[in-house]
Amino acid sequence: MENVTLLPADRYVIFNKTILTDFDKKVLITFYEPIIGHLGVSLYLTLWNDLEGINQISRELNHHHLMSILKCPLNAIKEAREALEAVGLIKTYFKSGDINNYIYELYSPLSPTEFLNHPILNVVLYDNIGDSEYEYLKKLYQKLKIDTKDYTDVSKKIDEVYVSQSDIPVFESIERSVNDISCNDQVDFDLIISSIPKGIINERAFNKKTKELINQLAFIYKIDSLKMMELIRSVLNEYGMIDKTALRQASRKMYQFNNGALPTLIYRSQPEYLKTPVGDNSMRGKIIRAFESINPVDFLRNKYRGVKPTTADIKIIEMLVIDLEMPPAVVNVLLDYVLRKNNNRLSRAYIETIAGQWKRAGLKNASEAMDFAEKENNKLTKKLSNKEHTSNEPVWFNKDNQKQELTVEEQQEMENLFKEFK
C-alpha cells in the first residue's frame, strides 16, 4: 500500500480474533513493551477496550477518538500501530474513499516460551533489555517439569463423566489466536535451491515454515543468499531435510564470529543470580567462589600457569558455553575435572561425553557441579578393581576441606586456582 496520510476523520472498526487474559497483559508489558514502547502498548489496550465487553466487533470510530484518549498526534499513533503490526499483535486492512476506512484485527501476545524461542523477537528483546534482565526473564518464565514417572494417570475421559445431549445448541466462540510475524524474502530462494544438488536435498525441504525461519534468520543476523546457502548445506540431515535447530545455531555463531560477539560470551564469568550463596568460609567455599568468579578462558590460563589456551581449547569452551549453554562456573568445574582425570589433556570427545551428562542433569552452579562430579566418580570407582583405580582426582574430591592438610602438589594446584584472587 502506498504511504497514505492518516487523518482524524478516517474511520475504523476493531475485529477481535482472540482472547486476551490478564496474563497476556502482563506478557505484553514484560516482553513487548521494551520493543514497541509504551505508546504501542497503550494503543493496543485502547483498541481492545473499544471492543466494549465481549463484542467481537466494535462500533465505528474515527481516529480523533484515539487522539483524544492517547493524547498524542496521529503520526505517533500511526508509528505505534506499525510497531504492533510488525510484532504480530494486529493486522490492518485499508479501504480508500472520501473518508478512508480501516479494520484492525487484534491478536494475543505470544506466550513467554514462544517469545523466547522466536528467532527474531528473542534477539530484539535481548538487544533492548541487556544480558542480566534477559537472563532474569528466562529464569522467571522457564517451564517447570514435574516428574510423574512413578504416578498413574487416573483422569476421567469426558464420556465417562458427562452424557451427550443432542438437543443442546452450538454457539460459535472466539478462539485464542496469535498472528504469524511475517518477514519479506531476505534471500534468493531460487538461487539457493538451484545451487544444492537434487540428490542431496529433499524436494520438501523448503516448505513454508522452513522458508519463514530462513527469512527470519537472514533478517536478524544479516545473512545474504550466498552465506545462507553455505549454512543450509552444512545442516542437511541424512534425509535431505534442513535441521532447523542446527541452522539457528549456525546462523547465530556466524553472526557472533563476524561481529566479535562470540568471544565475549566465553569471557563471561558466572552471572550473579546463578552463584552459590555466600557464607561458607571453608576451603570448599573458597574453591566454589574461585570457580564462580573467573571466566573459563582465564581459568584455563591459570591452570596452564599463565600460558594462553590453544585454539582447540577455545573451541571446546565455545562448544560448552554457546552450543550447550552451560553456566561458566559449571564449565570451570568440568575443565578442572577432565584435566585431573585425563592426564592434563582436554580431549574433545571425552569432554563432550561428560558435558552431555552434566547438561541433562541441569547443573547451574559450581557447588552442584562439584557434588555431581564426585557422585559420578564414586559410581565409576566402585565398578573398577583396585588395580584399575587411580588417585588422579581434583583437590576438592573426597576430603574434609575445612581441616585437610594439602600435599605439595595440591598446594600448587590451589595456588594456581586462586591466582586471580590474591
Side-chain angles (χ1 to χ4, degrees), residues 246-299:
L247 184 60
R248 285 173 181 250
Q249 293 174 344
S251 300
R252 184 179 72 248
K253 289 182 71 173
M254 174 181 281
Y255 176 82
Q256 290 170 325
F257 181 79
N258 291 334
N259 292 273
L262 187 61
T264 63
L265 292 178
I266 63 174
Y267 281 96
R268 287 179 186 165
S269 57
Q270 184 81 343
E272 288 297 325
Y273 78 92
L274 285 181
K275 288 185 177 180
T276 303
V278 296
D280 183 358
N281 294 318
S282 67
M283 182 64 71
R284 177 184 173 82
K286 292 178 181 178
I287 295 172
I288 289 172
R289 287 195 291 279
F291 281 136
E292 296 185 347
S293 302
I294 190 170
N295 67 70
V297 175
D298 286 339
F299 176 78

Side-chain angles (χ1 to χ4, degrees), residues 351-415:
I351 287 175
E352 285 179 340
T353 301
I354 299 174
Q357 183 187 29
W358 288 27
K359 176 66 177 177
R360 289 189 293 274
L363 308 177
K364 297 298 183 185
N365 56 42
S367 179
E368 292 178 0
M370 292 161 65
D371 290 341
F372 188 82
E374 187 167 355
K375 180 181 177 182
E376 291 301 311
N377 185 74
N378 290 339
K379 288 181 183 178
L380 180 62
T381 301
K382 289 179 181 178
K383 295 180 181 179
L384 300 176
S385 66
N386 291 333
K387 185 177 181 180
E388 293 172 311
H389 178 63
T390 173
S391 61
N392 283 340
E393 296 174 345
V395 68
W396 37 268
F397 258 22
N398 300 317
K399 296 184 177 74
D400 181 354
N401 286 313
Q402 295 188 29
K403 301 177 180 178
Q404 66 172 334
E405 292 185 6
L406 303 181
T407 66
V408 173
E409 182 184 358
E410 289 172 339
Q411 286 176 351
Q412 182 62 52
E413 184 175 347
M414 291 300 297
E415 287 179 8

Side-chain angles (χ1 to χ4, degrees), residues 291-346:
F291 281 136
E292 296 185 347
S293 302
I294 190 170
N295 67 70
V297 175
D298 286 339
F299 176 78
L300 268 191
R301 183 183 287 113
N302 281 356
K303 295 292 289 184
Y304 295 165
R305 293 174 170 79
V307 177
K308 181 180 178 182
T310 66
T311 302
D313 292 339
I314 296 294
K315 287 184 178 179
I316 287 174
I317 295 174
E318 289 175 0
M319 178 268 294
L320 296 172
V321 174
I322 297 171
D323 294 340
L324 293 184
E325 298 179 344
M326 296 177 71
V330 177
V331 172
N332 289 339
V333 176
L334 176 58
L335 294 172
D336 192 52
Y337 175 73
V338 170
L339 286 170
R340 188 70 175 182
K341 301 292 290 184
N342 202 37
N343 296 319
N344 281 324
R345 290 184 294 109
L346 289 182

Side-chain angles (χ1 to χ4, degrees), residues 12 14-22 24-25 28 41-58 61 66 84 89-90 104-109 174-177:
Y12 70 90
I14 302 124
F15 189 67
N16 182 17
K17 295 285 289 186
T18 189
I19 298 168
L20 189 70
T21 66
D22 287 339
D24 287 327
K25 295 174 184 177
L28 190 69
V41 172
S42 296
L43 175 59
Y44 180 84
L45 295 176
T46 300
L47 293 174
W48 187 267
N49 189 64
D50 284 339
L51 284 166
E52 298 176 348
I54 61 172
N55 291 339
Q56 191 170 0
I57 191 167
S58 74
L61 298 157
L66 292 177
L84 291 171
L89 290 172
I90 72 170
Y104 297 137
E105 283 185 352
L106 293 188
Y107 293 84
S108 284
I174 302 172
E175 296 181 355
R176 177 181 169 82
S177 177

Side-chain angles (χ1 to χ4, degrees), residues 77-124:
I77 292 174
K78 183 179 180 182
E79 289 177 3
R81 187 199 76 203
E82 290 171 347
L84 291 171
E85 294 165 357
V87 297
L89 290 172
I90 72 170
K91 272 188 176 181
T92 300
Y93 297 89
F94 170 79
K95 183 175 72 173
S96 63
D98 294 335
I99 296 179
N100 294 332
N101 287 270
Y102 293 82
I103 296 174
Y104 297 137
E105 283 185 352
L106 293 188
Y107 293 84
S108 284
L110 299 174
S111 70
T113 300
E114 292 169 332
F115 196 103
L116 291 170
N117 285 304
H118 193 277
I120 292 180
L121 295 180
N122 165 44
V123 177
V124 177

Side-chain angles (χ1 to χ4, degrees), residues 3-43:
N3 190 21
V4 177
T5 301
L6 188 62
L7 300 174
D10 289 345
R11 295 187 290 250
Y12 70 90
V13 295
I14 302 124
F15 189 67
N16 182 17
K17 295 285 289 186
T18 189
I19 298 168
L20 189 70
T21 66
D22 287 339
F23 183 73
D24 287 327
K25 295 174 184 177
K26 184 176 180 64
V27 169
L28 190 69
I29 294 170
T30 304
F31 290 92
Y32 285 86
E33 188 168 6
I35 299 174
I36 64 177
H38 65 89
L39 183 56
V41 172
S42 296
L43 175 59

